[in-house]
Amino acid sequence: MKSLFKSAGILILAGAFVLSGCSGGGGSKNAAEKPDQEANFNPTGLPIVKEPVTLKMVSPKAALAPEYSEMEIFKRLEKDTNVKIQWENIPDTDYAEKKNLLVASGNLPDAFYAAGFSDYELVNYGKDGTIIPLEDLIDQYAPNLKALFERRPDIKSAITAPDGHIYGLPSWEENNLGTNPFFHVINKAWLDKLGLKMPETLDEYTEALVAFKTQDPNGNGKADEIPLSFMHMQWCMDIGGLFGAFGLPDNMEHRIVRDGKVIFTATQPEYKEALKYFHEKWYKQGLIDPESFTQDAAQYLAKGKTTDETLGSYIWWEVEEVVGTDRSKDYALLSPLKGPNGDQLIGRGNGGGPARGAFAITKVNRYPEITMRWIDQQYEPYMAAQIHWGPLDVVFEKDANGKLVNLPLPEGTSAGEFRQKVAPGAGGPGVIAIEDLGKVVDLEPRAQQRVKDLEKYYDPYMEKENYPSIFFNPEELDKINKIEPELLKYANTQRGKFIVDGGVDEHWDSYVKTLEKMGLNELMEIYQAGLDRYNENLKK
Ligand code: CA
């Protein structure tokens, strides 16, 4: 291990000295200390250093959290590693501004913890040398991160900057709960009452909606039934999933991936056919709640709780929240419906990868190896869970299988509040990967139910690929931000108009031309280039 330290380790250290000398920051360093440092450092095992070493770290903290020096989890880490952290905790509401000031003034800590660096910041601070590349340090001193990257190359790819360096470490509570946000719900009690079976095709579903509208299934003698309500182009409440019946599911970005190719859904023939169907068969026949295009969540949710049951079918994250726990027994989830050509598909939500700016080491750091070894402790799966949700014997205990299970909460506290006080939380370093759930630590019960529903109703019909969370360079981000908001706004307005007013065939060509004028092709080229780069990184 000594030889390893002498090769790349010393080179990195030497680089840091030169840089810190230039910066005039706190990193003045006597080169004669180097041999002592080497003797003090354990490249493997604990403690990390024989004699205590102090590192200065800046981190945001939640309102209810104590200073991190008072947090049990960090006291334990200090005891195990002999690395003392001098914390500068900034209230999370002020953090973004203060962090920018620190960087601008050159008054740098050794590392930023739970740093929340944006892609812009990682690339620009990496380029100007404010933060250092981490990949060689990871390779030599971070066995937990290396093991994570080996079992999950997608995580390594996601945090690798467009220039090939890793400037920030990941933070992720992976759970796959949002692969299909659109749970499609139907009033099963009404189907039974009207002698209809659970619809399996789009046309059977349409027949059920017609029956809901015309046959007074709530039995109050009034035509007050709402066959289908949703919230147009809103997260988890839109009909994007139902476009899958025409062969191409839609989503909030109108962007899906097949065989590594990025497809903009909203100019495709399948999308056009879906719009025609939704207008002709649904809107024109009064099956869609007209307020689906204007209502807010409060108005929408109220429709599930009217005195007489009025809601026939709806889309939401789960059944219960819309209609309440008691009434939810009348409702059932629908699997994707078979379309006119036999297509039966549901989309896979985009993004959902790790945050990549959770920890960064600055140029003034005299102990990058020690720092990397200290932070790597937090990528061991059990420790990652404790960094995110709270320590053993405080929040968790281990069950017979060694899995972390929740201890009862102290009286009068909520889980959210308690966790703020004992753990850095969701923005902290550490990755709890999907394969750790149920083995290292459990999902909460409601989340476990959702996983089961996804497996039963949606997974067999789900698109294989999604558009991952890509690390774009600043130039690409500038172009995306310039083109995309206006383009999506236009596409979404037209989508609503086509469903409500029809006229798809007459206006389609000019609609597509307008999108192209707004920069659609350039936008898709950027997304494709980003995806190609990501897929290349996967192979590395
Ligand atoms: Ca009625």
Side-chain angles (χ1 to χ4, degrees):
M1 294 318 287
K2 243 184 171 179
S3 62
L4 263 182
F5 189 92
K6 274 197 171 131
S7 55
I10 290 292
L11 282 176
I12 288 159
L13 273 176
F17 300 150
V18 171
L19 288 166
S20 64
C22 296
S23 78
S28 75
K29 169 70 184 152
N30 183 350
E33 278 180 43
K34 260 191 282 176
D36 297 342
Q37 213 185 100
E38 185 179 346
N40 194 34
F41 178 62
N42 289 323
T44 59
L46 291 174
I48 294 171
V49 283
K50 296 172 188 108
E51 294 301 319
V53 164
T54 300
L55 296 170
K56 195 179 163 198
M57 293 196 191
V58 166
S59 177
K61 79 168 187 71
L64 295 176
E67 293 294 310
Y68 282 4
S69 51
E70 297 302 313
M71 230 179 223
E72 178 64 23
I73 190 87
F74 290 119
K75 287 184 185 169
R76 290 183 197 174
L77 268 167
E78 181 180 334
K79 194 162 165 277
D80 290 345
T81 61
N82 239 356
V83 177
K84 195 176 160 46
I85 308 300
Q86 187 191 328
W87 290 104
E88 183 184 347
N89 280 127
I90 299 170
D92 50 12
T93 43
D94 302 338
Y95 174 71
E97 199 190 332
K98 293 228 167 119
K99 172 194 63 184
N100 292 343
L101 281 174
L102 286 174
V103 173
S105 69
N107 185 18
L108 294 170
D110 291 311
F112 286 93
Y113 184 94
F117 280 168
S118 68
D119 291 353
Y120 268 104
E121 290 171 329
L122 289 171
V123 169
N124 288 327
Y125 296 162
K127 215 196 252 172
D128 72 17
T130 302
I131 57 177
I132 64 170
L134 303 176
E135 59 275 5
D136 292 339
L137 289 166
I138 293 170
D139 202 39
Q140 294 186 78
Y141 301 113
N144 292 308
L145 267 165
K146 273 178 80 175
L148 175 67
F149 292 166
E150 259 158 48
R151 71 177 147 116
R152 293 293 301 273
D154 57 309
I155 294 176
K156 187 181 180 191
S157 178
I159 66 165
T160 301
D163 67 6
H165 289 300
I166 293 173
Y167 295 112
L169 297 183
S171 169
W172 200 10
E173 296 167 9
E174 186 184 22
N175 57 37
N176 274 1
L177 297 180
T179 48
N180 168 34
F182 309 119
F183 275 26
H184 188 194
V185 185
I186 193 163
N187 194 320
K188 178 74 167 52
W190 287 2
L191 290 175
D192 293 344
K193 193 169 176 187
L194 299 170
L196 298 166
K197 69 179 182 82
M198 272 296 270
E200 290 175 17
T201 68
L202 197 65
D203 287 341
E204 286 169 3
Y205 177 70
T206 301
E207 284 164 30
L209 296 184
V210 171
F212 290 170
K213 185 179 169 67
T214 56
Q215 296 183 36
D216 190 25
N218 69 2
N220 65 359
K222 292 185 272 187
D224 56 351
E225 286 80 3
I226 303 169
L228 168 63
S229 193
F230 58 94
M231 286 172 67
H232 186 247
M233 287 311 295
Q234 297 295 324
W235 158 250
C236 94
M237 312 106 168
D238 178 59
I239 53 172
L242 298 178
F243 283 69
F246 296 85
L248 207 64
D250 195 24
N251 56 32
M252 290 300 108
E253 302 81 34
H254 305 302
R255 182 170 12 103
I256 68 168
V257 178
R258 281 184 177 168
D259 298 323
K261 295 283 164 252
V262 184
I263 299 169
F264 186 74
T265 55
T267 50
Q268 304 303 320
E270 294 91 339
Y271 182 89
K272 183 180 173 186
E273 287 311 303
L275 291 177
K276 282 163 77 170
Y277 188 100
F278 298 152
H279 172 70
E280 289 292 326
K281 301 282 176 83
W282 291 359
Y283 200 89
K284 247 170 91 175
Q285 297 201 69
L287 305 182
I288 293 179
D289 174 9
E291 290 177 0
S292 298
F293 299 89
T294 55
Q295 64 192 344
D296 62 22
Q299 292 170 302
Y300 184 45
L301 290 171
K303 288 174 182 168
K305 297 162 188 104
T306 46
T307 312
D308 292 334
E309 207 160 281
T310 50
L311 207 45
S313 185
Y314 61 90
I315 293 147
W316 189 265
W317 183 256
E318 60 173 23
V319 176
E320 289 81 359
E321 201 166 355
V322 177
V323 294
T325 321
D326 288 349
R327 202 172 268 183
S328 68
K329 65 184 184 313
D330 288 349
Y331 290 82
L333 290 175
L334 279 164
S335 271
L337 299 159
K338 258 189 222 127
N341 301 314
D343 294 299
Q344 188 176 20
L345 287 168
I346 190 83
R348 180 179 293 273
N350 287 335
R356 40 194 158 236
F359 189 83
I361 299 179
T362 73
K363 63 183 179 186
V364 305
N365 190 315
R366 290 152 55 191
Y367 308 108
E369 301 86 351
I370 295 170
T371 310
M372 181 53 74
R373 286 213 58 213
W374 180 82
I375 194 66
D376 185 58
Q377 306 294 313
Q378 299 171 45
Y379 288 88
E380 187 279 320
Y382 285 91
M383 184 54 84
Q386 295 178 72
I387 290 288
H388 280 251
W389 296 312
L392 200 59
D393 303 325
V394 176
V395 165
F396 294 115
E397 62 179 344
K398 279 195 178 177
D399 72 3
N401 300 317
K403 185 172 66 181
L404 297 174
V405 293
N406 282 282
L407 286 164
L409 288 166
E411 201 132 343
T413 53
S414 73
E417 283 176 348
F418 188 53
R419 284 176 168 175
Q420 275 196 37
K421 294 176 185 169
V422 297
V431 170
I432 300 97
I434 197 89
E435 59 270 21
D436 299 329
L437 297 175
K439 230 167 58 187
V440 172
V441 63
D442 258 344
L443 270 180
E444 292 171 77
R446 250 168 51 133
Q448 289 181 34
Q449 182 57 47
R450 184 173 179 84
V451 168
K452 279 184 201 146
D453 288 340
L454 280 166
E455 280 171 1
K456 180 172 172 190
Y457 294 97
Y458 298 111
D459 285 356
Y461 312 99
M462 201 172 279
E463 288 284 322
K464 298 288 172 279
E465 294 155 84
N466 76 346
Y467 197 88
S469 166
I470 302 277
F471 201 149
F472 289 106
N473 65 44
E475 296 75 40
E476 291 168 329
L477 282 174
D478 284 339
K479 275 187 198 158
I480 291 171
N481 291 337
K482 200 173 138 229
I483 298 170
E484 190 165 46
E486 286 302 309
L487 186 143
L488 287 186
K489 196 171 148 198
Y490 173 73
N492 296 346
T493 306
Q494 291 305 308
R495 188 188 195 245
K497 277 188 185 164
F498 284 142
I499 296 171
V500 172
D501 302 331
V504 181
D505 280 328
E506 300 95 288
H507 300 299
W508 185 257
D509 289 346
S510 75
Y511 157 75
V512 173
K513 269 199 196 102
T514 304
L515 286 170
E516 285 170 355
K517 260 190 234 153
M518 296 178 88
L520 176 62
N521 295 334
E522 191 184 359
L523 184 68
M524 287 303 114
E525 279 165 22
I526 295 168
Y527 278 122
Q528 186 67 57
L531 183 66
D532 291 346
R533 202 165 55 221
Y534 175 92
N535 285 331
E536 274 306 306
N537 282 339
L538 277 185
K539 295 177 200 156
K540 282 178 188 163

